[in-house]
Amino acid sequence: MACFAPNPASGRYFSLFMEEMGRDRVMIAPDYPGLGASDAPPAMPDMSGYTDAMAAAQDAQGCGAPDGGKSDDCGYHTGALVAIELAVTRPDLVRKVVLMGIPYYDAAGREAQYRKNVVEKPLQEDLSSLQGSWDFAVTGREKGVTLERAYYNFVDVLKAGDRRTWAYHAVFTYPAEERAPLVGQDVLILNTHGSLEEETRALAPLFRNAKLVEIPELHHGIFDVGPDILAGHARPFLD
């Protein structure tokens, strides 16, 4: 199973979920180009740039090969759209799809979100420029998220540097309402009640074969505070 992270997190974001699911299957969580430990591309990628990189990572693991079998893919926030597009463009690679927190907006909504999020954020010498990221990841973390986990989530933001908004270019130019109906695989949508609860619910009917499960007890930091809950829904669907 391959897990695709929210921007600007690295694959480490899924470590607790991978421990839970990895009891009976192989788990990978590749870093996007320019995030985590991956080298940056020369320019801001579009969605195909991210999906091609994630497909290459799975190909390198033998997924989709004659004897390797297809992969199950899981995506959260940015990763949800990566998983959708990968299912469309590489059906030879993807068997089933698990999605959480889908950032789905109509054309007008995407344009508004693009103006808000795809902004140049150059590096600064002033340490106070990092305060917002620290507050989001650490001081404002969900109850149950350990300080160590929160700290390393903050470190991933730092490692992204001035590329921390790049993935939003792909997200907010992606017509999910056109791509979701092209997904032929079975899809499980775990609708945790966080910031994208309504957006996730709105896209669910557009898939051909999707099951929507409401999980109101999880809000934010879901892979830190509820990996067992998520695995409890994902495992029987994948099995």
Side-chain angles (χ1 to χ4, degrees), residues 65-129:
D67 297 326
K70 296 184 179 181
S71 170
D72 297 318
D73 287 353
C74 171
Y76 180 52
H77 284 209
T78 295
L81 300 187
V82 172
I84 290 170
E85 185 62 14
L86 197 54
V88 173
T89 58
R90 289 294 306 272
D92 62 304
L93 192 64
V94 181
R95 186 182 73 107
K96 291 186 177 183
V97 183
V98 180
L99 304 174
M100 302 91 155
I102 308 172
Y104 165 56
Y105 300 90
D106 62 16
R110 288 195 295 273
E111 183 177 351
Q113 290 292 329
Y114 194 101
R115 291 195 303 269
K116 177 182 178 182
N117 290 285
V118 186
V119 294
E120 186 176 353
K121 293 185 177 181
L123 299 177
Q124 301 180 34
E125 295 185 4
D126 184 4
L127 191 60
S128 65
S129 64

Side-chain angles (χ1 to χ4, degrees), residues 164-176:
R164 59 191 180 275
T165 66
W166 277 23
Y168 294 138
H169 167 72
V171 168
F172 299 121
T173 56
Y174 185 74

